[in-house]
Amino acid sequence: MSNDKKLVEAITAMDEDFGQWYTDIVKKADLIEYSSVRGCMIIRPYGYAIWELIQKNLDRMFKETGHQNVYMPMFIPESLLQKEKDHVEGFAPEVAWVTHGGADELTERLCVRPTSETLFCEHYANIIHSYRDLPKLYNQWCSVVRWEKTTRPFLRSLEFLWQEGHTAHATAQEAQEETIRMLEVYERFCEDYLAIPVVKGQKTDKEKFAGARATYTVESLMHDGKALQSGTTHNFGDGFAKAFEIQYTDKNNQLQYVHQTSWGVSTRLIGAIIMVHGDDNGLVLPPEVAPIQVVVIPVQQHKEGILEKAFAVKERLSKIVRVDLDDSDKMPGWKFSEHEMRGVPLRLELGPKDIEKNQCVIVRRDTREKIFISLEELETRIPQILADMQRGLLEKARTMRDKKTYTATSIEQLAAICEENPGFIKAMWCGDRDCEDRIKEETGATARCIPFTQEEIADTCVCCGEPAKHMVYWGKAY
C-alpha cells in the first residue's frame, strides 16, 4: 500500500493547484515528455494513441461528408503570405521564419506554416477554372508552428498537430452551409466521442479568425471554470479569392470568384479531455478514445492456471474491445493505481477465487464501482458497461458545466463571478467593440461566442447600459 500511496501523491490535488495538477497528469500518465526546444513537446506512445483515435474517428466523419485528404508544403514564401493583408497582420507576431538554407542566405524568407490558407489559395487558383471543378472539399492532417510566448502541453505549444479543412464553393450560400455543417461535425464529435458538452455559436468580430468574414466556434468548459475553444469554422466569403484571383467560369460563361471556408481542431482536444474528466487520481478517458479500454490484471498470478486464464480472457475480449494484460511482477495494488493514473476505463481483476466462481471483477475508472460478472457474459456485459460509462461521463460533464454557468446584468456582477466563481457567464451585449474591450480589461473575461440559441437576460448591455443586441457567453479562457 505504501507504493500505491506514493503514486497517488505524485499528483497535486486539482483544488490545491489546478495548473500543477494538469502538468502532473500529462507527465505521470505518460502522455508527453518535454523537448529541449522551449515550448515543444514529445508526444509519447500513449498520448499519440489518443490522438490517433481522435484522428481516425474525425477523418471518417470528414469523408462521410465528402472531404478528401491532401498535403501542403510546410513552407510559405513571404510574398505569398503577404497577399492577404488582414491574414498577415493577424499571424505576424506568431510566425517563425527560415532565412538560411545551409550556409546560404535565402533570397526570400520562408514562413513555417502557422496555417495553410495561402497555400490552398495558390493551389485552388491553379486548378479551379470551371463550375465543374467545384466544390473542392479538402482537408489535411499536419503540424503547424506558432511562436507562442507562454506554452502548456497540448493547450498551447510552438508546434502542434491538427487538421485543417479548406473548401471552395460556387456560391456564398454553399460556403455558409459548409461552415455550419462542419461546426456541427465538431459538436457531434466532442459530445459523442470525447463526452464533452459544448456551446456553439459565432465569434465576435474582435475574436474572429484573421481574414474571415465570420468565425464560428464550439466552446467547452474545464473543471476549473475556464473555457476552451475546442474547434472553429470560418467563412471567408470571396475575400481570399479576390486576393489570389481564384475564379471560375459559371454556367452562363461568366467569370465568378469562389467562396471559401476553413475549419480545424488540434491536439488541444487532449488537454480538454484531461481537464474535463480527470480527477485527483489521474486521467479519466472516455472509452471511445481510450487506447486501452479494458486492462486485465491477474491477482496472485504466481499460482497455477491464473495467467493462462487471464490470457484466455484477453484473447476473447480482443475481438470486441481494445484490451491489454498486465502480467508484470508489480504488486496488484500498484498496478491498480498505475492504470487508474492512465485513465483506463475498465479494470478486470481475475484471481483464484474468481476462477472458482467462473467470474471476474470489473472496476469502472469513473465511479470506482465494482461489478461482478460471469465469465460467460464477458462479450455482452463489457460493451454495455463501456457504453454506460461513455454516457455517464457526458452527463457528469454537462452537469458540471451547467453548475458553473451564471448570468450577469452588470459589469460589477460579471467581474465578481470571474473572480469568485469562474465559469461561463451569460450576459447581454450591445455589439460595440469598446464595451467588449472594457469587459476584458476590467474582468479578464473574453466573449467566447454569441450562441445560436439566444436568451433575453436583460434589455440593456451589461457594460454600457445601451440597448442590447446579443446574449453572449463570456469567460476566462485557455
Side-chain angles (χ1 to χ4, degrees):
M1 289 300 292
S2 60
N3 283 342
D4 299 349
K5 186 177 181 182
K6 286 180 183 177
L7 189 60
V8 172
E9 285 179 347
I11 300 178
T12 304
M14 65 168 64
D15 291 338
E16 178 185 328
D17 185 337
F18 192 79
Q20 188 59 51
W21 168 84
Y22 177 86
T23 301
D24 290 345
I25 285 183
V26 298
K27 285 281 290 169
K28 301 296 181 182
D30 294 328
L31 301 181
I32 68 110
E33 183 58 65
Y34 290 105
S35 162
S36 58
V37 180
R38 182 198 71 84
C40 291
M41 60 181 174
I42 298 162
I43 304 178
R44 300 192 64 193
Y46 194 62
Y48 197 79
I50 298 171
W51 177 245
E52 286 181 311
L53 286 163
I54 290 173
Q55 184 180 35
K56 175 186 174 182
N57 288 294
L58 265 177
D59 197 65
R60 187 193 69 254
M61 295 172 81
F62 295 158
K63 287 171 180 170
E64 286 171 353
T65 49
H67 298 83
Q68 296 175 296
N69 286 335
V70 298
Y71 188 80
M72 291 289 167
M74 178 186 293
F75 301 115
I76 306 171
E78 186 172 11
S79 58
L80 188 64
L81 195 65
Q82 294 288 346
K83 279 195 172 185
E84 214 292 328
K85 181 176 177 292
D86 291 340
H87 186 65
V88 174
E89 289 180 354
F91 278 98
E94 300 175 348
V95 169
W97 294 100
V98 177
T99 59
H100 287 72
D104 300 325
E105 186 173 351
L106 302 179
T107 55
E108 180 180 14
R109 292 194 302 175
L110 297 176
C111 162
V112 183
R113 64 174 172 228
T115 182
S116 301
E117 275 71 20
T118 55
L119 292 168
F120 275 92
C121 285
E122 180 184 46
H123 181 55
Y124 284 154
N126 291 330
I127 67 169
I128 294 173
H129 307 290
S130 162
Y131 69 89
R132 296 183 183 90
D133 298 324
L134 295 170
K136 282 285 182 281
L137 306 178
Y138 286 171
N139 173 68
Q140 85 165 335
W141 296 92
C142 64
S143 70
V144 293
V145 172
R146 297 181 185 175
W147 216 258
E148 302 281 2
K149 292 181 180 178
T150 58
T151 61
R152 182 173 291 182
F154 295 118
L155 300 178
R156 198 172 292 277
S157 54
L158 298 193
E159 180 188 15
F160 55 90
L161 304 179
W162 78 344
Q163 61 75 209
E164 48 179 319
H166 295 269
T167 68
H169 305 265
T171 67
Q173 180 180 343
E174 289 176 15
Q176 179 64 11
E177 288 172 354
E178 168 78 358
T179 310
I180 300 304
R181 174 173 64 163
M182 299 318 294
L183 188 73
E184 290 171 347
V185 167
Y186 288 155
E187 177 189 33
R188 290 202 313 275
F189 178 75
C190 286
E191 299 199 346
D192 293 350
Y193 290 87
L194 308 185
I196 296 176
V198 297
V199 174
K200 63 180 179 180
Q202 184 171 348
K203 287 289 190 182
T204 64
D205 285 345
K206 177 184 177 182
E207 297 290 332
K208 72 181 180 182
F209 184 80
R213 176 171 292 177
T215 290
Y216 302 89
T217 182
V218 286
E219 299 282 327
S220 53
L221 194 67
M222 305 299 99
H223 188 84
D224 65 345
K226 285 187 179 179
L228 188 74
Q229 180 178 286
S230 300
T232 51
T233 65
H234 317 286
N235 185 339
F236 290 137
D238 59 7
F240 276 91
K242 288 178 176 176
F244 286 83
E245 290 296 317
I246 312 172
Q247 291 182 289
Y248 70 97
T249 304
D250 67 14
K251 292 180 180 180
N252 298 317
N253 208 33
Q254 299 294 311
L255 273 178
Q256 306 288 349
Y257 287 105
V258 301
H259 296 260
Q260 293 172 265
T261 80
S262 79
W263 28 274
V265 299
S266 73
T267 36
R268 70 168 23 201
L269 289 178
I270 298 177
I273 293 169
I274 297 167
M275 293 192 292
V276 170
H277 301 304
D279 61 24
D280 285 342
N281 291 293
L283 194 59
V284 178
L285 289 175
E288 290 288 353
V289 291
I292 301 167
Q293 294 172 308
V294 181
V295 60
V296 178
I297 299 183
V299 179
Q300 294 182 296
Q301 65 185 46
H302 61 283
K303 291 192 174 182
E304 184 179 356
I306 301 298
L307 272 178
E308 289 80 3
K309 190 69 173 178
F311 274 105
V313 166
K314 179 194 173 185
E315 178 63 23
R316 286 171 58 189
L317 289 177
S318 66
K319 296 177 175 62
I320 57 170
V321 295
R322 295 183 290 276
V323 61
D324 194 16
L325 185 147
D326 188 343
D327 61 347
S328 66
D329 60 0
K330 300 172 185 175
M331 295 296 290
W334 178 265
K335 294 181 185 182
F336 296 166
S337 294
E338 191 169 55
H339 294 292
E340 279 187 2
M341 171 84 76
R342 291 162 62 86
V344 177
L346 299 183
R347 181 173 80 235
L348 188 156
E349 301 171 14
L350 190 66
K353 292 183 179 179
D354 298 311
I355 292 173
E356 285 179 16
K357 298 177 182 179
N358 195 38
Q359 68 176 23
C360 64
V361 181
I362 300 294
V363 182
R364 284 178 50 158
R365 173 62 182 89
D366 58 335
T367 62
R368 304 286 185 86
E369 178 187 4
K370 287 190 174 184
I371 306 167
F372 295 86
I373 66 172
S374 166
L375 293 178
E376 304 301 323
E377 299 178 331
L378 286 177
E379 285 83 355
T380 55
R381 292 294 306 280
I382 294 291
Q384 291 172 354
I385 297 169
L386 287 170
D388 186 60
M389 179 176 172
Q390 184 78 27
R391 286 190 298 269
L393 286 174
L394 177 60
E395 291 168 5
K396 182 179 178 182
R398 184 172 283 122
T399 299
M400 182 272 290
R401 182 198 64 183
D402 293 347
K403 183 179 178 181
K404 293 178 182 288
T405 300
Y406 312 96
T407 59
T409 54
S410 69
I411 193 169
E412 292 79 15
Q413 189 179 14
L414 198 156
I417 294 170
C418 283
E419 180 66 27
E420 299 165 14
N421 301 292
F424 280 144
I425 306 166
K426 297 187 288 187
M428 305 304 291
W429 178 51
C430 63
D432 191 276
R433 171 69 180 266
D434 289 341
C435 283
E436 187 177 0
D437 290 341
R438 183 186 163 198
I439 289 171
K440 182 177 180 180
E441 182 181 343
E442 295 190 15
T443 71
T446 54
R448 303 317 309 155
C449 72
I450 304 168
F452 293 149
T453 303
Q454 285 283 296
E455 301 173 43
E456 191 173 334
I457 295 168
D459 296 328
T460 57
C461 173
V462 71
C463 182
C464 67
E466 294 297 316
K469 291 183 180 178
H470 310 286
M471 187 274 281
V472 174
Y473 274 80
W474 307 84
K476 293 183 178 181
Y478 283 98

